Structure formats: C-alpha cells, structure tokens
Amino acid sequence: MNDDTVTVMSALPVVLLLTSLVPAMLIFALREKRTVLRTTLNLAGAIAKVVLVIVLIPRVVAGEELRAEFTWIPGLDIVFVTDTFSLFFVALSAGLWLATTIYAVGYLEGSPNRSRFFGFFSLCVTATVGIALAGNLLTFLIFFELLTLVTYPLVAHRGTRAALRGARIYLAYTLGGGVALLLGVAWLTLEVGPVEFRAGGIPEVAEFAARDPLTATVIGAVLLLGVGVKAALFPLHGWLPIAMVAPAPVSALLHAVAVVKAGAFGIIRIVEDVFGLALFAELGMLQALAVVASVTIVYGSVRALAQDDLKKRLAYSTVSQVSYIALGAALLSPIATAGAIVHMVNQGFMKITLFFCAGLFAEELKLSKVSQLAGVGRRMPVTSAAFTIAALGMIGLPPFAGFISKWALGLGGLDAGQPWVIAVLLTSTVLNAAYFLPIIATIWTSPRSESEGSDEGTFPVPARRSGWEAPASLLLPAVATALFVILFGVAAGWGYSPWVLAQIVGEGAWP
C-alpha cells in the first residue's frame, strides 16, 4: 500500500463523521418546502455511511487499524480510531440510521419544522459515530456530551407541554451524568496523563491502581456513573420512559441506535479498554456492576408488566434489555463479553422494529395502548407480523437474534464461575414473556367487530391507492429490520455476522 493510499485510508474515520455532519449543516439552512432536497441529503448521507462501513469491515477484521489524530492544545489530542469494537458500533449506527431516516421521512411528512428535526437527527448520528470512533477518553467525553445537547431538541420536537417536560427531565438526567463523566475523565487524566483506549486496559492505570486502589476505585465508579445514566441503569433510568413523548422515529433512535447504546458502549470501553477486566475485578467493581445490571434487568421487566401505554412498556423493556450488555461486560469470560457486544446489535434491531411498529399503530390507527390493540392483526397483518418477530426475539426464543445473546450470556456466566447469571436470565425471560405474549395474543387472537376498533368506535382506514396497510416508507423499514432479527439468529455462524464479529471483539479484550 503506497503513501497516498495510506493517507486516504487514515482519513476515513473523519469521512465517516462528515457523512452525517455535512448533511446536517445543509439541512438546517433549507426552507421547509425543500422536501425533495432535504430527503436527498438525508438518504445520501445515510447510504454513504453504510457504504464506507462495508468497505472498512474486511480491513478492520483482518487487523488493520485506521487512526486520525488532531492536537487541540498541547497535551490534549482528538483521536479517532477504527478498531473492531468501534467499527462494530459504527456499523450498527449506520445501518439503523438508514432505516430510521426512511421511516422518519414518511412519519413526519407534512409536519412542521422538518428541517430542524432532520438537522438535529443527523447531528445525533454524528455524535454517536464520534463516540464509537473515539480513541481516547477526551474525544469520547466531547461526543458523549454533544449527544446530550443534540438529542434534547428531538425529544422536545412536538413542543407540547408534555414534550417540553420530558425533554427537561431528559436533559437534567443526562447533564448530571455528563458532569460525573467530566469529573472522572479529568481526575483520571490528572493521575495518569492522557488516556487512550487499549484492549485489556491501560498499563498506567494499572500502575496507578496498584499505588492507590481506593482512589482508582472511586474514579472507576464516577466514570460508570457518568455513562450509566445514558445506559439507563437502575436507579438512573427515570428519564427513559418520560422521554417517550418524542415522535416514534426519535424513540427508535434513542433506544436502538444512539443514547442508551452510547451508554452501554461507554461501560464496555471503561471496563475493558481503560481499566481492564482483571483490574476492575481486583478493585471489586465488576461484582458491583454485575449486581446493578442484574437488578436493572429484573426491575425493568417488572415495571414493563404494569404499563398499558405501548411505548412506555417498550421503554421499560429497554431498561431491562440494555443491562444485559452491562451484565456481560461484568463477567470474567470472553464468551460473556462477546454476548454483551452482540446484544448491542441484536437488541438494536429488535427494539427498533418494535418502535417502528408502535409508530405505525399510532400513525395509522391512532392506537397507543396495549388494551386498544385487539384485532389489529386483521387490519395491519404485516406490521403485526414484524412486531411479533421482534417480540419473540426479545423473549429469547430460537431461531431469533435474541436467543443468541441470551445463550452466549448464559454460557459466559458458567464460564466465569457465576451460575447465578442463569437464574437472572431465566427470570428475565419469564418476565419478557409475561409482558410480550399478551400483546401478541391480543393482536392475533382477539378479533372484534369494526365498531369496537378504537376509542372512537372504528379503526381509521385511510384510502391507499397502493392497497398497502401503511405507506411504504413506514412499512418497509419495519419489515427489513424484522427480517434481520431472523437473519442474525439463523445465520449467526456466517463469516461477518454480528455474533462472529462480536467474538472477534470479545477475544480482543483478553490480550
């Protein structure tokens, strides 16, 4: 590879950021009536990001690591790196951003303030990709805080009293977490100097912990507190159900692509690439994280049982499901690490499908509560089938993607000598079934007359020349992500499947 090729390849991490940053800046400047141009910019950026990821995957899997570094001020560098874990998260973000962009274009058709919405929407993905590509704690901190700021307008988008209240609560929680993260990053940097992520942990951090284990433990706890808010760990989860006042594409983005995944990604980075699993276990932090994650898994599921509002039930499900990632990161086992990492993708595709379908039920039939869904399988069979696939995957039934995650985490628990993990997973699975199966049964096995359809007495049935149950821009993303839920389970052993790539990443945490 000649020098010019090396230079071009080294620039790719920055180009990955620009594919959403540039469209965002252009979209902000567009008038509301420029619908075609705005949609073109959105889709062009999303497709370009997916193409770049596809180009990079074989290179990075083969061991090539691309690095772009910029000196901010002496001693403070902005670093972007495409290692296997960062590209794994970028691939998830890019794929689901494309699906969500198509869905959002149809969902918001004719609504006001679309240029503002899609501008911040693209900035949200820019911040998420920046978090994924961050090569050191400083870069991670900058984009982690940027994500908070650019998602606030999306939560508040509708401008209603409920939306503004939800956005304020979201901002209060995430800014609080951001302050904790800033404190932890500054404190650790003061003790050991600039902190660059390294598989297996940073030697300087290990040396510092050997000298002052108490301070190292406190710093680790502060860092986990900072990222734990976005990861919705109990008791830091309160913002997530309240933020469901946002439009369905935003809910999908928060749960499957951006905010909660950024928090989960941060947990893995701190545990495995700053401290290292062995040191974190020695400090007693792994055990504490495992307990918090287990409590959150069960708590979120129990709270989901009591929710009649469909999006809130899905929100509490997210509180539970994302903590599978934290639990896997807290176990001394490469299988558990791989299970945590693959669940980032599997949960993302399952949960985004569920939110797409919830948005379709609300948009097409004006139904937002579980108790209203009786018989919708007759009116919207494709949407209902997609919801069913994703829900069964969430429960963990084979051959769907969720089964792969739970199987790996269970094996990882046994491999780590922690058989109690099986009890946590089984309890969660039973609770998952208890709050998802009644929805599925209601949708498919509770037929009723048209006069019993909605609170107003009938299902609204919009005229469609295509004969489809919903606009293609809303229906096709839900179908596509549901098919991936099947594919990621059935073809888990394929060369570039999420499970195979997750195993590569997991093994890298054990140098």
Side-chain angles (χ1 to χ4, degrees):
M1 187 180 294
N2 60 43
D3 292 342
D4 290 339
T5 303
V6 171
T7 301
V8 171
M9 293 302 295
S10 297
L12 283 183
V14 177
V15 176
L16 276 168
L17 288 169
L18 293 178
T19 53
S20 47
L21 178 60
V22 172
M25 297 298 100
L26 295 175
I27 288 169
F28 278 127
L30 292 179
R31 297 193 304 273
E32 285 298 306
K33 295 181 179 179
R34 302 299 299 272
T35 302
V36 174
L37 179 56
R38 181 172 53 246
T39 301
T40 301
L41 288 170
N42 270 308
L43 293 177
I47 292 170
K49 199 180 293 289
V50 170
V51 170
L52 285 173
V53 168
I54 293 172
V55 169
L56 283 172
I57 285 176
R59 292 176 175 272
V60 174
V61 170
E64 185 175 345
E65 185 176 283
L66 305 178
R67 180 184 178 93
E69 184 172 344
F70 310 92
T71 298
W72 186 7
I73 59 176
L76 294 179
D77 295 332
I78 306 300
V79 181
F80 301 107
V81 175
T82 56
D83 58 25
T84 50
F85 187 33
S86 66
L87 191 62
F88 192 87
F89 191 26
V90 172
L92 170 67
S93 302
L96 293 186
W97 181 40
L98 176 58
T100 311
T101 297
I102 296 170
Y103 185 90
V105 168
Y107 192 90
L108 295 171
E109 183 179 357
S111 65
N113 302 315
R114 281 172 292 168
S115 289
R116 183 187 70 192
F117 177 91
F118 282 107
F120 282 111
F121 194 76
S122 294
L123 285 181
C124 176
V125 177
T126 303
T128 304
V129 172
I131 290 168
L133 296 176
N136 61 15
L137 265 181
L138 175 63
T139 309
F140 179 86
L141 171 68
I142 291 170
F143 283 94
F144 201 81
E145 302 296 1
L146 177 62
L147 182 61
T148 294
L149 299 178
V150 300
T151 46
Y152 169 80
L154 295 175
V155 177
H157 176 72
R158 286 195 171 116
T160 63
R161 181 177 297 179
L164 295 175
R165 175 179 175 272
R168 284 195 299 268
I169 293 173
Y170 166 73
L171 192 64
Y173 269 86
T174 51
L175 284 180
V179 170
L181 182 62
L182 173 61
L183 174 61
V185 171
W187 195 352
L188 188 59
T189 302
L190 181 65
E191 297 289 351
V192 304
V195 180
E196 290 206 11
F197 299 129
R198 179 172 175 175
I202 301 166
E204 292 81 2
V205 173
E207 292 168 7
F208 164 63
R211 295 192 311 269
D212 191 350
L214 177 60
T215 302
T217 302
V218 173
I219 292 174
V222 171
L223 289 170
L224 285 181
L225 176 65
V227 297
V229 173
K230 280 193 171 74
L233 289 175
F234 177 85
L236 309 172
H237 66 284
W239 64 270
L240 191 56
I242 296 171
M244 291 306 94
V245 296
V250 178
S251 299
L253 196 71
L254 294 180
H255 286 253
V257 186
V259 178
V260 294
K261 287 299 167 54
F265 179 86
I267 289 173
I268 296 176
R269 275 295 198 207
I270 290 165
V271 171
E272 298 182 2
D273 296 341
V274 175
F275 285 83
L277 284 161
L279 176 58
F280 229 55
E282 184 180 325
L283 295 173
M285 297 295 292
L286 275 188
Q287 298 90 323
L289 178 59
V291 169
V292 171
S294 299
V295 169
T296 307
I297 287 170
V298 176
Y299 171 84
S301 295
V302 171
R303 289 298 305 272
L305 284 169
Q307 308 303 316
D308 188 40
D309 184 279
L310 180 58
K311 286 177 68 176
K312 283 193 175 181
R313 185 173 294 199
L314 297 180
Y316 278 109
S317 170
T318 297
V319 171
S320 173
Q321 291 278 336
V322 171
S323 283
Y324 282 36
I325 301 169
L327 178 61
L331 298 173
L332 276 169
S333 164
I335 303 174
T337 302
I341 292 168
V342 78
H343 196 58
M344 291 182 66
V345 169
N346 292 344
Q347 188 271 349
F349 275 85
M350 292 184 295
K351 187 49 62 77
I352 206 167
T353 303
L354 293 170
F355 273 107
F356 282 166
C357 294
L360 278 159
F361 293 146
E363 184 74 5
E364 297 302 306
L365 302 179
K366 311 305 178 188
L367 305 179
S368 61
K369 297 185 182 299
V370 175
S371 58
Q372 298 173 328
L373 296 179
V376 298
R378 292 183 296 110
R379 170 62 184 87
M380 302 183 72
V382 176
T383 303
S384 299
F387 186 96
T388 300
I389 290 168
L392 294 177
M394 280 292 189
I395 294 169
L397 296 179
F400 304 110
F403 172 77
I404 304 299
S405 302
K406 291 190 177 184
W407 182 261
L409 289 170
L411 290 178
L414 295 176
D415 183 51
Q418 305 290 340
W420 57 265
V421 170
I422 302 296
V424 173
L425 294 174
L426 287 175
T427 301
S428 176
T429 297
V430 170
L431 292 171
N432 295 160
Y435 64 75
F436 273 125
L437 290 181
I439 302 176
I440 296 172
T442 299
I443 288 173
W444 292 110
T445 64
S446 298
R448 59 188 185 179
S449 65
E450 292 295 318
S451 63
E452 298 172 321
S454 68
D455 289 343
E456 286 74 29
T458 60
F459 285 138
V461 183
R464 301 202 182 283
R465 286 178 295 177
S466 66
W468 289 23
E469 64 191 54
S473 59
L474 296 178
L475 190 59
L476 292 181
V479 171
T481 53
L483 291 176
F484 275 108
V485 171
I486 300 173
L487 180 65
F488 290 160
V490 172
W494 175 66
Y496 289 123
S497 73
W499 171 236
V500 171
L501 295 177
Q503 288 178 288
I504 294 172
V505 178
E507 290 168 1
W510 295 77

